[in-house]
Amino acid sequence: MKKIYLFFISTLSIVTLLISCEKDHGVYDPDKVKHTSDLAVPKGFNWQMTASANYIISAPVETVASIFTDESCNEDQLIAQVPVSATPNEIMLEYPASTQTLYLQFPLQNGKKEVMPVVVKATRATQAIKLPEDAEYEMKDDDIYKYELTHYISRGTIMFEDYWPVKGDYDFNDFVIHYDITGRISGGGRPEVYNHEGLDINIQFKAIGGSYNYQLGFQLDALPAKYIDSYDISQDQEIVKVKFLNPNEEGPAVFVFEGTSALKGQNGAQFYNTEKGHEVDKNQLITATIKLKINSFNNLEKTQALVASVATTNQNFFLTADKEIHLRGYSPTAYYQNYETDANGLMSSIPYCDKDGFVWGIKVPVNIKHAIEKTDFIEAYPKFGKWVSSNGTQNKDWYKYPVSGKVID
């Protein structure tokens, strides 16, 4: 009888263990999670989707290499235009973390253009690239300074939740913009070339699905405002006004885009371009442009600040009203003094991140579609969940797979 009893207990324990394991396995499966707020965010996950590498590029003649992230070499895939010659040009390139190959396009002696694939390697070592002997010097462009300036292009989509410090509904459409930033940096040539150095910042307002009247802000974390020699601002329809908050000051340059709340409520909609049946035509989206002239001739600190400013990690987008909402890891500006109080209960070591690892904004390194109002982001992008749960190691290109009917272009 005792043996039977022990056998019964052992069998029961095994069954219980199996059921427990099955339940535990079913508790969390990133492919089955229906709500972004239910994701298990790995400790230390940084939510970043951009990678970088250092290259030394040379060529037998002076020419220009255009560098793309896709073999098609479309303009929206361009990340740099680099003057090259027998003297190696060392550059740092940033690209989507899902990129496996970069493509260098350059002119040939026969008048055609060659595309050279360069496999992206998981290394911090500087990689050398040499263009072939039949590369050609092509001077057909009216912009002769293209051959003496390195152009760096960063672009992407910024998507915010506006309930900070409380978690929102995670449709990530409370404020959505597309940005395109081009930096022009001299390689130490003629003094007059430095007059063409600077940054061009283009912002397109794609959606505003939040109830609060936040405005967009932008801080160049590595660029003291005093280094901006002059600036020019233009905007569509005079609806959105761009304000440079601190010209000539020591602190980082800060810009605010005012008037965006006026975009909501048009054409019978409650919000701006988030509701089905109230979509805004892509050609009618409001844009604003800031052109900064930054001449760094004979000024090493100014040169270093300009070079650092083309890095996407130093481009600090945020929402501002009575509070500021930034992306994970970015500090608030000097204009927001109550962060420590307002962020009470959140992660103290990393700004704008709660103790479960959740954030209130993401920066996607391409122009993507945003979720329709009240659509959870995982419904719109089902591969997003595994990207988060895998600490960014899987589904790195999750943004290429939106669900039709759940997003707005």
Side-chain angles (χ1 to χ4, degrees):
M1 187 71 179
K2 187 175 181 181
K3 291 182 179 180
I4 296 175
Y5 176 75
L6 289 174
F7 174 78
F8 174 76
I9 293 295
S10 300
T11 304
L12 181 62
S13 299
I14 293 170
V15 171
T16 302
L17 179 62
L18 290 173
I19 293 174
S20 176
C21 289
E22 184 177 351
K23 283 185 177 180
D24 286 343
H25 179 71
V27 166
Y28 184 73
D29 181 346
D31 289 328
K32 295 180 180 179
V33 172
K34 295 182 178 180
H35 302 286
T36 301
S37 58
D38 292 333
L39 287 171
V41 181
K43 185 177 181 180
F45 180 52
N46 61 22
W47 297 82
Q48 292 181 8
M49 302 170 220
T50 302
S52 64
N54 295 314
Y55 293 89
I56 293 178
I57 305 179
S58 61
V61 296
E62 289 186 341
T63 187
V64 171
S66 298
I67 305 173
F68 300 84
T69 57
D70 188 85
E71 190 175 10
S72 63
C73 296
N74 291 328
E75 192 68 22
D76 61 354
Q77 306 290 337
L78 179 66
I79 60 172
Q81 285 185 321
V82 185
V84 292
S85 65
T87 302
N89 188 353
E90 185 169 355
I91 60 172
M92 190 273 284
L93 296 176
E94 291 185 311
Y95 42 82
S98 61
T99 304
Q100 297 181 341
T101 306
L102 298 174
Y103 299 89
L104 276 69
Q105 186 184 72
F106 50 90
L108 298 175
Q109 293 173 359
N110 60 13
K112 296 182 180 181
K113 289 188 175 181
E114 177 77 5
V115 177
M116 173 190 292
V118 176
V119 176
V120 172
K121 298 178 181 179
T123 176
R124 293 186 178 182
T126 300
Q127 302 168 61
I129 301 172
K130 186 174 182 179
L131 302 191
E133 292 297 323
D134 58 344
E136 181 60 280
Y137 177 72
E138 180 187 48
M139 182 61 78
K140 296 179 180 179
D141 202 297
D142 292 335
D143 180 14
I144 63 172
Y145 297 107
K146 184 173 82 171
Y147 296 84
E148 298 182 71
L149 293 167
T150 297
H151 292 67
Y152 293 97
I153 300 97
S154 61
R155 59 172 61 88
T157 307
I158 309 290
M159 317 179 92
F160 281 107
E161 283 288 308
D162 69 357
Y163 266 68
W164 185 87
V166 178
K167 289 180 183 177
D169 56 4
Y170 282 108
D171 52 14
F172 277 121
N173 72 4
D174 291 347
F175 210 111
V176 183
I177 66 160
H178 172 65
Y179 71 93
D180 191 310
I181 301 175
T182 299
R184 303 177 306 279
I185 302 172
S186 173
R190 297 176 297 149
E192 58 266 32
V193 176
Y194 286 86
N195 289 325
H196 297 265
E197 286 188 313
L199 295 171
D200 292 345
I201 303 156
N202 297 291
I203 305 295
Q204 183 183 64
F205 296 88
K206 297 191 67 175
I208 303 176
S211 300
Y212 299 113
N213 290 327
Y214 277 101
Q215 299 170 343
L216 178 70
F218 176 61
Q219 176 171 281
L220 288 163
D221 286 350
L223 184 70
K226 66 179 183 180
Y227 286 161
I228 297 174
D229 301 309
S230 63
Y231 62 94
D232 181 70
I233 293 173
S234 60
Q235 52 264 320
D236 289 344
Q237 303 179 25
E238 299 297 319
I239 295 176
V240 177
K241 305 284 188 180
V242 185
K243 183 180 289 186
F244 186 8
L245 297 186
N246 58 340
N248 302 314
E249 293 186 7
E250 294 284 340
V254 183
F255 300 86
V256 170
F257 299 78
E258 299 179 339
T260 50
S261 59
L263 298 175
K264 295 190 294 185
Q266 298 181 12
N267 302 321
Q270 181 180 358
F271 302 112
Y272 176 66
N273 201 29
T274 65
E275 298 151 275
K276 206 166 186 177
H278 297 282
E279 298 90 341
V280 178
D281 186 275
K282 288 189 292 186
N283 296 321
Q284 300 299 317
L285 293 173
I286 300 298
T287 62
T289 301
I290 307 169
K291 293 182 178 291
L292 306 179
K293 182 178 179 181
I294 306 166
N295 185 325
S296 70
F297 181 66
N298 277 347
N299 189 325
L300 179 59
E301 289 185 359
K302 200 171 183 179
T303 299
Q304 292 171 337
L306 177 57
V307 171
S309 295
V310 302
T312 185
T313 50
N314 292 318
Q315 298 164 1
N316 184 354
F317 291 92
F318 60 95
L319 299 184
T320 177
D322 59 326
K323 301 180 178 71
E324 287 183 5
I325 305 174
H326 293 247
L327 306 183
R328 179 193 185 275
Y330 287 89
S331 298
T333 72
Y335 298 94
Y336 179 37
Q337 299 292 324
N338 295 324
Y339 175 79
E340 296 298 332
T341 300
D342 293 338
N344 185 40
L346 302 183
M347 191 178 295
S348 59
S349 59
I350 302 175
Y352 294 97
C353 184
D354 78 0
K355 292 182 178 179
D356 294 323
F358 283 91
V359 297
W360 284 263
I362 55 176
K363 181 186 289 187
V364 185
V366 296
N367 191 2
I368 73 167
K369 302 175 181 180
H370 57 275
I372 290 175
E373 191 62 32
K374 298 190 183 303
T375 299
D376 192 278
F377 203 66
I378 284 182
E379 287 186 62
Y381 288 94
K383 292 180 179 288
F384 176 76
K386 182 165 282 188
W387 173 72
V388 173
S389 301
S390 69
N391 204 13
T393 61
Q394 299 181 47
N395 291 355
K396 293 181 180 181
D397 60 350
W398 60 264
Y399 43 79
K400 293 182 180 180
Y401 304 98
V403 175
S404 178
K406 300 289 186 179
V407 294
I408 294 176
D409 195 349

